[in-house]
Amino acid sequence: MIIGRILENEKRVKFNVDIHCSNCGIIVPGGLQTGESYFETDEFKIELKEFKRNYLCGVCRDKRRVDK
């Protein structure tokens, strides 16, 4: 999954993060990618923190879609 921004012809940085579903709490595989210039910036850290806080696993996301 790609998070943040990747500029044209920029190297991608691949990293693993422990991600838990914010609804049911199960652990989701956290293989993420971002651009080399964006990785480890303050903006990146804020975006990753929000992403982890609001992430829904596939089951919870589908359940929410069907309920609407």
Side-chain angles (χ1 to χ4, degrees):
M1 189 177 327
I2 296 173
I3 186 169
R5 63 178 179 257
I6 299 174
L7 302 175
E8 191 175 325
N9 298 326
E10 183 179 28
K11 282 188 174 181
R12 292 183 181 195
V13 176
K14 297 179 182 181
F15 58 99
N16 290 315
V17 178
D18 289 333
I19 300 173
H20 299 273
C21 176
S22 60
N23 189 36
C24 65
I26 67 169
I27 297 175
V28 181
L32 300 173
Q33 297 180 30
T34 191
E36 193 173 47
S37 64
Y38 188 65
F39 188 62
E40 296 289 324
T41 61
D42 290 335
E43 185 180 356
F44 169 76
K45 291 175 185 176
I46 293 168
E47 185 173 348
L48 182 61
K49 183 178 176 182
E50 284 297 311
F51 177 79
K52 289 171 61 175
R53 190 173 65 87
N54 296 318
Y55 187 80
L56 292 175
C57 67
V59 174
C60 293
R61 187 172 48 243
D62 291 344
K63 195 182 304 179
R64 184 173 282 178
R65 269 191 214 146
V66 171
D67 289 344
K68 286 184 178 181

